[in-house]
Amino acid sequence: MPSQLPILDVQNLTKSFGAHLLFNDISFSIAEGQKVGLIARNGTGKSTLLSILTGVEGYDSGKIIFRNDIRIGYLEQTPKFNPADTVLEACFNSNDSEERILKAKQILTQLKIGDLNQTMGTLSGGQQRRVALANVLATEPDMFVLDEPTNHLDLDMIEWLEGFLSRGNKTLLMVTHDRFFLDRVCSVIIELDDKKIYTYKGNYSYYLEKRQERIDNTRAEIARANNLYRKELDWMRRMPQARGHKARYREDAFYELEKIAKQRIEERQIRLKSKNVYIGSKIFECQYISKRWNEDLVILKDFYYNFARYEKMGIIGNNGTGKSTFIKMLLGLEKPDSGRFDIGSTVKFGYFSQEGMAFDEQKKVIDVITEIADYIDIGGGKHLSASQFLQYFLFTPEQQHNYVYKLSGGEKRKLYLCTVLMKNPNFLVLDEPTNDLDIQTLQIFEEYLADFPGCVIIVSHDRYFMDKVVDHLLVFKGGGEVQDFPGNYTQYREWRSLKSKEENGNAKKRETTKPSRPRPEQQRRMTYKEKQEFMQLEKDIDALEKEKKLIEEQLCSGNLPIDELTEKSKRLPVINEELDNKEMRWLELSEIKQ
């Protein structure tokens, strides 16, 4: 079978802004049906690369080759609309088919945009992004290019989008910090690191494992090169200037060796464990709080909660259920209709809001932090200077002396986070803190919060982040209903799934055991045909599970030629759908007596 041509081939691409080199001579390709996640630090060129590939921005040198006549669907980080247009006008034009209009309306409904006559200027930034996302999904392009598609989506929307993008033979290049999403959707990870590209043929979990192997191998290579370099350097110093052909060859090899020896692999940050945070035993008591915005939108009804010392709580729920309003009431920024918050005298809040902080763009990064404090006391007589604290959160010394206006959107969010933490609070209240932060920063922030000796409340749709940090959840269900769940997000999801199956099973049992008149036997037995189907289903499920495991191993091996890789990438979602259908039928039959 001939090797399939890629849908996109990038060759030796270089891009710089003035003296600042973003990436140099990078090459990669994407085949039809591949779902590719792009990972890089904030400010290193992820969004710029997407803009270049979609023709929005130029580049210095190299080639970008798309297969002929392919259509690209591009979701920008900050989409632009005419504020006077309605949602309907922003999404459709007179040439659109009925099928396309229907599909877009269905997607808008899934993304909870119901009123198509609203003008775009009246929508929030998050709603506008959801309209832009619906627009891209509904056009059914040959290739999706998505920049942070999960930002401003609630958990239901994110899980729906996971399913939408996973199904069928869609080709996808995506930047996202959502690691659950990367794990479940992507079959290839491309990492942009130190101006170079590294490709990993597997999902996010596979990438983590192989990236560490790459770093360990590079460190070993640098260590070997350093040993040899010292010997060769001694030879270079002793040799006379006039050298023969052999000596010149050795001299050229020396300079290549020097390049390897002088490489610097970023050393893993030591964990920052602040011990100089004290919080008393009384934190806060939420005393029968009620809040509504109008007759229809009830946030809380007589809600009581006593927050414990050192507690790390996550708040989840769909958009509009009152999560942000709850924490604003806790902080005194909104008043409840009735009830009160009784807050302990030692509590010192540090609040990270969705809106973020308005910086003076003409200030240097280091000055923004030193205006708060010159150092942070981490206990035991130890201090961390403002510069060291910024470096811990991956601001290089060079970046620290940049002006704020030069920072990317993600870097500004990270700087805002540093301003909150630099005040050394003992109770962190974080409203969507992970939006626009890169994965490396998230990993460091997770460690910081795991070791944080105070209290934490996090409102977030980042499931991976919540699993790492929180020990229990408040689930805002809407209509004033709040569920207290003792566990993290994954545990809640598993519990909800089991509860749903149990309720469905009970409902089916009630239906099957509700005869119109008394019968001696309440539950019918399997027919011969159903018994045969049941046995065949068990064989089919076993075979599909084995095939799925084999394909996943092959996709992660990195050894498949591109045509087989494409074929197997297409087969995997088909297997998943077949498994779902057969397992559901098996469950139905298993409830009938044999």
Side-chain angles (χ1 to χ4, degrees):
M1 189 173 175
S3 181
Q4 187 173 352
L5 289 172
I7 201 167
L8 166 66
D9 193 26
V10 176
Q11 300 175 359
N12 309 112
L13 191 68
T14 297
K15 173 67 176 178
S16 56
F17 289 109
H20 178 52
L21 182 65
L22 271 184
F23 38 82
N24 183 40
D25 213 24
I26 64 170
S27 300
F28 62 93
S29 62
I30 297 174
E32 184 181 351
Q34 280 190 328
K35 295 174 175 63
V36 181
L38 174 61
I39 291 177
R41 279 193 191 176
N42 289 136
T44 56
K46 299 188 299 292
S47 294
T48 301
L49 179 55
L50 298 192
S51 295
I52 290 169
L53 296 178
T54 51
V56 175
E57 198 161 328
Y59 51 97
D60 302 342
S61 60
K63 287 183 181 178
I64 298 171
I65 304 163
F66 282 101
R67 193 186 297 167
N68 288 341
D69 302 321
I70 75 158
R71 293 176 304 112
I72 304 291
Y74 178 35
L75 176 70
E76 299 179 75
Q77 256 199 26
T78 312
K80 297 171 186 68
F81 292 100
N82 180 344
D85 281 352
T86 64
V87 172
L88 202 63
E89 290 164 338
C91 285
F92 314 119
N93 60 55
S94 56
N95 300 323
D96 286 333
S97 66
E98 283 296 321
E99 187 182 349
R100 146 93 169 103
I101 291 170
L102 179 61
K103 188 173 184 65
K105 284 181 177 177
Q106 288 172 339
I107 292 171
L108 284 164
T109 301
Q110 290 287 350
L111 297 177
K112 298 176 187 173
I113 303 289
D115 185 357
L116 302 186
N117 295 313
Q118 280 180 284
T119 57
M120 295 303 295
T122 63
L123 300 183
S124 68
Q127 288 172 318
Q128 288 191 20
R129 268 188 66 87
R130 300 208 303 270
V131 171
L133 175 60
N135 228 337
V136 171
L137 299 181
T139 57
E140 297 187 322
D142 300 299
M143 180 176 177
F144 293 93
V145 178
L146 307 177
D147 197 348
E148 296 289 3
T150 65
N151 276 6
H152 306 288
L153 302 187
D154 63 32
L155 290 171
D156 286 350
M157 296 180 211
I158 291 170
E159 289 176 0
W160 172 82
L161 184 61
E162 274 176 6
F164 182 92
L165 293 174
S166 297
R167 286 191 296 273
N169 192 36
K170 297 178 182 72
T171 305
L172 168 67
L173 174 62
M174 171 178 66
V175 167
T176 181
H177 67 270
D178 189 321
R179 290 156 289 176
F180 261 51
F181 203 82
L182 281 169
D183 227 19
R184 291 175 180 176
V185 174
C186 293
S187 54
V188 177
I189 303 293
I190 291 176
E191 181 185 24
L192 180 58
D193 183 29
D194 193 25
K195 306 174 182 61
K196 300 187 190 86
I197 280 282
Y198 300 92
T199 300
Y200 304 84
K201 292 185 176 166
N203 63 8
Y204 177 72
S205 301
Y206 177 82
Y207 152 78
L208 283 180
E209 178 190 337
K210 294 300 175 184
R211 180 181 189 270
Q212 192 56 51
E213 281 181 21
R214 171 176 72 80
I215 290 170
D216 291 344
N217 290 340
T218 305
R219 282 203 180 108
E221 184 186 8
I222 291 169
R224 284 193 297 272
N226 269 299
N227 288 334
L228 188 54
Y229 175 68
R230 284 189 287 271
K231 295 173 188 171
E232 293 295 291
L233 183 61
D234 183 53
W235 174 82
M236 286 285 286
R237 285 170 176 162
R238 286 187 287 105
M239 281 294 293
Q241 290 306 307
R243 297 183 172 122
H245 175 72
K246 271 193 171 182
R248 278 199 305 275
Y249 174 79
R250 188 170 174 184
E251 185 182 350
D252 291 340
F254 167 80
Y255 290 119
E256 287 302 311
L257 182 67
E258 187 175 47
K259 283 181 193 173
I260 297 170
K262 291 192 173 179
Q263 281 186 88
R264 290 287 177 268
I265 289 286
E266 171 204 327
E267 292 299 323
R268 186 70 185 93
Q269 298 280 339
I270 56 163
R271 289 179 76 137
L272 176 57
K273 298 185 180 182
S274 177
K275 296 174 184 172
N276 197 41
V277 170
Y278 171 77
I279 192 163
S281 56
K282 181 179 179 182
I283 310 302
F284 77 80
E285 189 178 10
C286 181
Q287 297 177 346
Y288 307 103
I289 300 293
S290 291
K291 179 73 176 177
R292 65 170 65 215
W293 288 117
N294 52 48
E295 287 304 312
D296 299 323
L297 189 55
V298 178
I299 304 299
L300 291 171
K301 288 189 294 192
D302 290 328
F303 178 68
Y304 179 86
Y305 190 83
N306 194 5
F307 199 88
R309 196 182 193 190
Y310 308 129
E311 194 168 334
K312 292 184 170 73
M313 180 171 77
I315 298 180
I316 62 171
N318 289 341
N319 292 343
T321 52
K323 305 182 300 295
S324 294
T325 302
F326 172 74
I327 61 176
K328 283 178 180 174
M329 287 193 290
L330 168 63
L331 296 164
L333 304 173
E334 290 281 355
K335 288 188 176 179
D337 297 336
S338 61
R340 65 187 287 266
F341 288 90
D342 184 14
I343 298 169
S345 59
T346 62
V347 170
K348 181 185 175 186
F349 288 115
Y351 177 40
F352 182 98
S353 74
Q354 281 195 55
E355 292 77 25
M357 178 179 180
F359 295 109
D360 180 344
E361 300 273 316
Q362 301 302 317
K363 279 185 182 170
K364 291 183 177 178
V365 170
I366 186 69
D367 295 336
V368 170
I369 297 299
T370 53
E371 279 185 1
I372 296 166
D374 290 321
Y375 63 87
I376 188 167
D377 186 348
I378 57 173
K382 295 178 182 177
H383 298 84
L384 215 57
S385 71
S387 178
Q388 288 171 319
F389 189 76
L390 281 169
Q391 206 158 345
Y392 178 80
F393 280 98
L394 305 179
F395 282 104
T396 64
E398 181 189 13
Q399 287 172 318
Q400 291 177 31
H401 289 91
N402 269 348
Y403 291 99
V404 171
Y405 73 82
K406 290 187 176 180
L407 299 181
S408 69
E411 287 173 312
K412 285 178 183 174
R413 291 277 289 178
K414 185 165 66 172
L415 178 59
Y416 172 40
L417 176 62
C418 288
T419 64
V420 173
L421 302 180
M422 196 69 188
K423 292 171 185 170
N424 217 16
N426 57 20
F427 194 145
L428 289 169
V429 180
L430 308 169
D431 194 358
E432 294 293 356
T434 67
N435 281 357
D436 301 317
L437 294 184
D438 59 58
I439 286 172
Q440 290 90 332
T441 302
L442 287 176
Q443 290 168 335
I444 289 164
F445 190 29
E446 284 161 0
E447 286 184 355
Y448 180 92
L449 291 175
D451 297 329
F452 182 66
C455 295
V456 181
I457 289 179
I458 302 168
V459 176
S460 180
H461 298 125
D462 188 327
R463 300 155 293 174
Y464 196 101
F465 184 78
M466 295 287 259
D467 275 1
K468 287 277 188 178
V469 176
V470 308
D471 45 42
H472 90 277
L473 300 173
L474 285 184
V475 184
F476 277 62
K477 296 188 166 186
E481 185 185 352
V482 180
Q483 179 186 357
D484 184 6
F485 181 80
N488 63 23
Y489 172 76
T490 295
Q491 289 161 340
Y492 171 71
R493 195 165 182 261
E494 288 168 355
W495 172 83
R496 191 178 64 179
S497 175
L498 284 170
K499 190 166 184 285
S500 176
K501 282 179 183 174
E502 187 181 296
E503 286 171 354
N504 288 340
N506 289 339
K508 281 178 185 172
K509 280 177 186 174
R510 281 195 296 274
E511 285 171 18
T512 56
T513 59
K514 195 177 176 184
S516 55
R517 57 182 178 272
R519 292 172 61 179
E521 186 172 310
Q522 297 292 314
Q523 191 177 13
R524 72 175 181 84
R525 293 185 178 275
M526 270 191 199
T527 64
Y528 175 77
K529 190 175 176 182
E530 283 172 333
K531 283 182 183 176
Q532 296 299 108
E533 184 189 0
F534 188 73
M535 286 189 287
Q536 187 59 46
L537 280 168
E538 288 182 332
K539 291 175 186 174
D540 291 348
I541 288 167
D542 185 53
L544 284 167
E545 282 176 343
K546 284 176 182 171
E547 186 185 357
K548 180 182 175 182
K549 187 180 178 186
L550 178 63
I551 288 178
E552 284 173 343
E553 286 171 357
Q554 289 172 331
L555 288 174
C556 291
S557 70
N559 298 325
L560 290 177
I562 197 162
D563 54 342
E564 282 190 50
L565 185 69
T566 304
E567 187 185 330
K568 292 187 186 298
S569 296
K570 289 179 186 176
R571 174 65 181 147
L572 198 55
V574 175
I575 292 173
N576 286 331
E577 194 167 341
E578 280 186 44
L579 266 172
D580 284 346
N581 293 334
K582 287 182 185 291
E583 284 172 346
M584 185 59 72
R585 179 61 179 154
W586 184 91
L587 279 170
E588 287 171 5
L589 290 173
S590 69
E591 291 176 2
I592 302 170
K593 283 186 180 179
Q594 293 193 41

